[in-house]
Amino acid sequence: VVLRGGTTVGVLGFYAGDVITDARGLTAVSRHVTRAVEQYRTVVVTAHIGAEGIGWQRVGDSTEFFLESRIDRGNPVAFARAAMAAGAALVVGHGPHVLRAAEWRGDRLAFYSLGNLVTYGPFNNAEPINRGAVACVDLDEGSVVGADLRPTVQRAPGVVMRDPSGRALRLIDSLGVLDFPSTGARVDPWGELRRIGETVVDTATNSLPRQPA
C-alpha cells in the first residue's frame, strides 16, 4: 500500500488452513514476514485464526479449534508473536467474532480480535457479538507509535453505529489484564491504548475495569 508522500506499507494476510499462507506454519510465517520487512520496512499482518463464539473471548497460548468439528484454527498468540518477532509492526487477528485482548511486544502491537463490524445472514447479533471496534494506528519505520480504538455496535444486521457506551473499550481493556498480565494493552475511556502499569481510570465508575462485561 503506497501512502501519501511515497511511504509504502506491506500488508500480509494469513489463514488457518491448508493454503500457502497457512497461519499454523510458524516457520513459514516468519519467513514471509521477514522477507516483507526487508522489502517494505513497515509491515502489517492480518490472520483469520482462532476459535469462534461467545465462549472464546479469552485467548491463550494454545491451539484453538473450530466449533465441535475440531478443525485446527491455529494458536493466535504463537502466530502473533512469531510475526512480531520477524518484524511485523502490527498484527490484526480476525475470525472469533468476539472482542479479544490486545498485546504490546515492545513497540509492536497485536489485536487478537476486533469483534464484528457489520454482519448479515446467520450471524448472531446478541451481546457481546454485536460489539466491535475500529483500530486507528500510527506507524513509523516499523514501529507502532500510537493507537486508539473507536467502539461500534450493531443495532440490527447490517446496521452499525458508534457505540456511545464504549463497551468495547472496557472489554478489550479488562481482557488484556486477564490474558496478558505483563504485556496486555490497557484501553483508557477515550480509546487510547496504553501499557500495563500506566494508570487507566474509567471515568464512568472512577475505577479500574478488570472483568469482561
Side-chain angles (χ1 to χ4, degrees), residues 113-157:
S113 177
L114 293 171
N116 287 326
L117 183 65
V118 182
T119 55
Y120 293 87
F123 289 97
N124 187 336
N125 202 41
E127 295 280 0
I129 292 178
N130 60 337
R131 307 288 172 167
V134 175
C136 303
V137 181
D138 295 322
L139 301 171
D140 181 49
E141 291 297 313
S143 299
V144 174
V145 296
D148 64 271
L149 295 169
R150 316 293 170 85
T152 64
V153 61
Q154 287 190 92
R155 295 303 186 193

Side-chain angles (χ1 to χ4, degrees), residues 12-208:
L12 298 181
F14 293 85
Y15 171 70
D18 295 327
V19 293
I20 293 175
T21 52
D22 191 341
R24 301 169 300 181
L26 300 186
T27 299
V29 168
S30 296
R31 184 174 66 251
H32 290 313
V33 175
T34 296
R35 187 166 54 216
V37 170
E38 290 173 350
Q39 185 171 357
Y40 300 113
R41 176 62 175 165
T42 300
V43 171
V44 174
V45 168
T46 73
H48 196 80
I49 191 171
E52 297 185 11
I54 293 175
W56 290 96
Q57 293 181 77
R58 303 291 301 275
V59 60
D61 188 0
S62 60
T63 300
E64 298 180 2
F65 298 89
F66 179 71
L67 301 178
E68 289 80 23
S69 55
R70 304 298 290 176
I71 296 174
D72 183 348
R73 289 289 291 270
N75 180 331
V77 174
F79 170 83
R81 291 180 175 176
M84 289 187 285
L90 176 67
V91 177
V92 182
H94 46 85
H97 295 285
V98 287
L99 292 158
R100 284 182 154 190
E103 180 187 24
W104 289 102
R105 302 293 287 182
D107 58 1
R108 307 178 193 282
L109 178 63
F111 292 108
Y112 285 99
S113 177
L114 293 171
N116 287 326
L117 183 65
V118 182
T119 55
Y120 293 87
F123 289 97
N124 187 336
N125 202 41
E127 295 280 0
I129 292 178
N130 60 337
R131 307 288 172 167
V134 175
C136 303
V137 181
D138 295 322
L139 301 171
D140 181 49
E141 291 297 313
S143 299
V144 174
V145 296
D148 64 271
L149 295 169
R150 316 293 170 85
T152 64
V153 61
Q154 287 190 92
R155 295 303 186 193
V159 180
V160 63
M161 62 178 290
R162 182 182 67 85
D163 183 7
S165 76
R167 188 179 179 200
L169 308 181
R170 295 191 296 275
L171 282 167
I172 294 174
D173 175 70
S174 58
L175 288 165
V177 173
L178 290 169
D179 293 343
F180 303 102
S182 61
T183 59
R186 302 301 311 272
V187 185
D188 71 19
W190 301 274
E192 185 175 349
L193 270 73
R194 302 179 183 275
R195 290 168 172 78
I196 292 289
E198 294 185 70
T199 302
V200 179
V201 177
D202 187 334
T203 55
T205 62
N206 198 33
S207 63
L208 298 178

